[in-house]
Amino acid sequence: MNFQPSTSDPSRPFLTWQRILDWAQEHYRDRTFNKDERIPTRSGLLYLVQRGTVRLMGTTQLSSHDSTDGSLPPILEEAFLGFVSAGQPFEIVVQSPFTLSAYSHIDQTSVLWMYWHELDNWPHFRREVFNAFHYQHQRKLLWLSTLGQRKTIDRLFGLLTLIIEEFGEPTPDGYCLPFPLTHGQIGSAIGATRVTVTRLMGKLRKKGLISTYGDNLICLPMQSVDFNNDSSKSS
Amino acid sequence: MNFQPSTSDPSRPFLTWQRILDWAQEHYRDRTFNKDERIPTRSGLLYLVQRGTVRLMGTTQLSSHDSTDGSLPPILEEAFLGFVSAGQPFEIVVQSPFTLSAYSHIDQTSVLWMYWHELDNWPHFRREVFNAFHYQHQRKLLWLSTLGQRKTIDRLFGLLTLIIEEFGEPTPDGYCLPFPLTHGQIGSAIGATRVTVTRLMGKLRKKGLISTYGDNLICLPMQSVDFNNDSSKSS
């Protein structure tokens, strides 16, 4: 489902990707960002991560608070919605009271953008983009499954499993996220505080369900990662 | 984004849809279900809701519990992941420890199915299906935004807003869900118990943020629903 430009799989449209990169440069449609920089976006455009990793965040204006006293400003809470890695598309949806935003999660993250209709110039690539959104949708359904769990520790462990399955890399310590993810960011995804996440991560570590490696990179033991994206099996 | 067969919009591929219905009947690929009946599904197939409403649920096997005492059976929790209405596609993803499942949410819900490659027989329709998954992905990102909220009442109100915006129908009492959604089902989506949902729904009702109508149908006041799926606006 992934159409990483760096992949060696010959079925991947590497040549198309190169043509799109050239096109983006020619039309000043690419830009590189530093870690945690906000990527200026407009809804209605299609973005592609060329290099690095993008972090998607959702902001909600909490109107359940401001109705009893109209003078209070509405509270804004930002939630971590996931990563978009190199070769993957993303877009920014705006629907009151929700706003999505994109940040460069690591240094030297490059993004290019186009209008949706410009995608028609590359019909095969258009299909890849829709396949990628389709895949992302599947992952988000699994993510929603884990967020429905009542216990915070279950939501936490489920979320870490999903993220590391998708973005982790093999190391001697297991499969590890190749970039840090703060406890505050994790908490914002599962509706918990940073302090709670720190405490529960300690619990998971003690049980041997996760480990941390180097500069606070989160790992899962080798055997607990299911890399079979087994969409062909019977349920 | 929706390709409801009943729509009067001339851009909708009504004729294609009729051809697909005929094809499904001819090949015994359609079936009608009663309320709350589980729809037998296989991952790797594409399903289309012909009539009625499908409820998607996610089951998680909670492995964070069973590691300290291997003799305990893992706990299963089911989470409500959303509805799929007539004309919309869905699919069932299986990725350990997560399993999705589909239920007929109302009586006389009809579903048809096909292999993905069979979709190539209707190239225009294929595009519609991917557009529909793309739209569902956007909605799920908003759903994730609301589930990241720390307070249960915020998650609850955000979720109800999203669902009623998408599936609600205008009535004298506001926009209302045309079918019941139990407090247990809502709770399973936001990581809360049925009892908590009942209590918090009472709070939201007292604040005038929601109302209920007839046989426990949930409504939002007219003015609080944003039907502008404004993906063309700047953010």
Side-chain angles (χ1 to χ4, degrees):
Chain A
M1 293 293 186
N2 193 318
F3 52 104
Q4 291 266 0
S6 58
T7 182
S8 57
D9 184 333
S11 70
R12 302 297 188 230
F14 178 74
L15 287 174
T16 309
W17 179 254
Q18 190 55 54
R19 287 216 318 271
I20 290 169
L21 294 185
D22 293 344
W23 172 87
Q25 278 202 319
E26 224 172 89
H27 294 78
Y28 306 101
R29 299 282 190 83
D30 62 340
R31 197 169 140 190
T32 301
F33 298 89
N34 295 322
K35 182 168 158 41
D36 293 325
E37 214 178 322
R38 185 176 172 147
I39 299 170
T41 49
R42 280 170 51 195
S43 63
L45 287 180
L46 171 68
Y47 295 84
L48 293 163
V49 182
Q50 178 188 347
R51 196 175 56 229
T53 303
V54 164
R55 182 174 75 243
L56 290 184
M57 303 291 289
T59 311
T60 313
Q61 231 177 330
L62 299 176
S63 48
S64 61
H65 294 284
D66 58 0
S67 68
T68 43
D69 180 354
S71 65
L72 279 176
I75 296 168
L76 292 177
E77 257 192 56
E78 238 187 358
F80 167 58
L81 306 185
F83 293 119
V84 189
S85 56
Q88 287 277 333
F90 69 93
E91 66 187 325
I92 295 304
V93 191
V94 181
Q95 165 116 17
S96 170
F98 304 100
T99 312
L100 304 195
S101 45
Y103 294 86
S104 166
H105 192 67
I106 56 177
D107 264 337
Q108 294 292 310
T109 293
S110 298
V111 165
L112 61 91
W113 57 92
M114 60 178 72
Y115 290 95
W116 277 95
H117 67 84
E118 289 171 327
L119 199 55
D120 293 340
N121 299 334
W122 302 284
H124 181 73
F125 190 71
R126 188 183 190 285
R127 207 163 155 148
E128 295 276 330
V129 165
F130 276 88
N131 278 335
F133 277 123
H134 176 214
Y135 172 72
Q136 289 182 22
H137 177 237
Q138 294 184 332
R139 298 299 299 184
K140 290 314 180 206
L141 288 178
L142 302 178
W143 187 310
L144 285 180
S145 298
T146 203
L147 292 194
Q149 306 309 310
R150 271 208 287 273
K151 292 193 175 170
T152 310
I153 195 168
D154 295 329
R155 296 202 295 273
L156 173 64
F157 184 59
L159 187 72
L160 292 177
T161 305
L162 282 175
I163 292 176
I164 295 173
E165 268 174 8
E166 194 169 353
F167 301 98
E169 293 173 359
T171 76
D173 298 298
Y175 281 93
C176 301
L177 266 191
F179 39 71
L181 180 60
T182 69
H183 294 183
Q185 283 161 353
I186 297 169
S188 76
I190 61 171
T193 63
R194 187 185 55 73
V195 176
T196 303
V197 170
T198 302
R199 183 172 56 81
L200 295 177
M201 297 255 304
K203 264 197 177 177
L204 291 175
R205 240 193 327 261
K206 260 188 213 148
K207 289 187 178 187
L209 290 167
I210 63 166
S211 60
T212 48
Y213 161 80
D215 192 16
N216 208 18
L217 304 175
I218 307 163
C219 309
L220 287 181
M222 277 300 177
Q223 67 278 9
S224 67
V225 179
D226 176 11
F227 281 103
N228 297 327
N229 208 331
D230 47 359
S231 53
S232 59
K233 263 193 224 161
S234 305
S235 70
Chain B
M1 292 292 186
N2 193 318
F3 51 105
Q4 291 266 0
S6 57
T7 181
S8 56
D9 184 334
S11 72
R12 302 296 188 231
F14 178 74
L15 287 174
T16 308
W17 180 256
Q18 189 55 53
R19 287 217 317 271
I20 290 168
L21 295 185
D22 292 345
W23 172 88
Q25 278 203 318
E26 225 170 88
H27 294 77
Y28 307 101
R29 299 282 191 82
D30 62 339
R31 198 170 139 188
T32 302
F33 298 88
N34 295 322
K35 182 166 160 43
D36 293 324
E37 214 178 322
R38 185 177 172 147
I39 299 170
T41 51
R42 279 170 53 193
S43 64
L45 287 180
L46 171 68
Y47 295 83
L48 294 162
V49 183
Q50 178 188 346
R51 197 176 54 229
T53 303
V54 164
R55 181 175 75 244
L56 290 184
M57 303 292 288
T59 311
T60 313
Q61 229 175 333
L62 298 176
S63 48
S64 61
H65 294 285
D66 58 0
S67 69
T68 43
D69 180 354
S71 64
L72 280 175
I75 297 167
L76 292 177
E77 257 192 56
E78 239 188 357
F80 167 58
L81 306 184
F83 293 119
V84 188
S85 56
Q88 287 278 333
F90 69 93
E91 67 187 325
I92 295 304
V93 192
V94 180
Q95 166 115 15
S96 169
F98 305 100
T99 312
L100 305 195
S101 46
Y103 294 85
S104 167
H105 192 67
I106 56 178
D107 263 338
Q108 293 292 312
T109 294
S110 298
V111 165
L112 60 92
W113 57 92
M114 59 177 72
Y115 290 96
W116 277 95
H117 67 85
E118 289 171 327
L119 200 55
D120 292 340
N121 298 334
W122 303 284
H124 180 74
F125 190 70
R126 188 184 189 285
R127 209 165 153 145
E128 295 276 330
V129 165
F130 276 87
N131 278 335
F133 277 123
H134 176 214
Y135 171 72
Q136 290 182 22
H137 176 237
Q138 293 183 332
R139 297 299 298 183
K140 290 313 180 206
L141 287 177
L142 302 177
W143 187 310
L144 284 181
S145 298
T146 204
L147 293 194
Q149 306 307 312
R150 272 211 283 275
K151 293 193 174 169
T152 310
I153 195 167
D154 295 330
R155 297 203 293 275
L156 172 64
F157 184 59
L159 187 74
L160 292 177
T161 305
L162 282 174
I163 292 176
I164 295 172
E165 267 173 9
E166 195 169 353
F167 301 98
E169 292 173 359
T171 75
D173 297 298
Y175 280 93
C176 300
L177 267 191
F179 37 72
L181 180 60
T182 69
H183 294 184
Q185 284 161 352
I186 297 170
S188 77
I190 62 172
T193 63
R194 188 186 54 73
V195 176
T196 303
V197 170
T198 302
R199 183 173 55 80
L200 295 177
M201 296 256 303
K203 264 196 177 177
L204 291 175
R205 240 195 324 262
K206 260 188 211 147
K207 288 186 179 188
L209 289 167
I210 63 166
S211 59
T212 47
Y213 162 81
D215 191 16
N216 208 17
L217 304 175
I218 307 164
C219 309
L220 287 181
M222 277 300 176
Q223 67 278 10
S224 68
V225 179
D226 176 11
F227 280 102
N228 297 327
N229 208 332
D230 46 0
S231 51
S232 59
K233 263 193 224 162
S234 305
S235 71

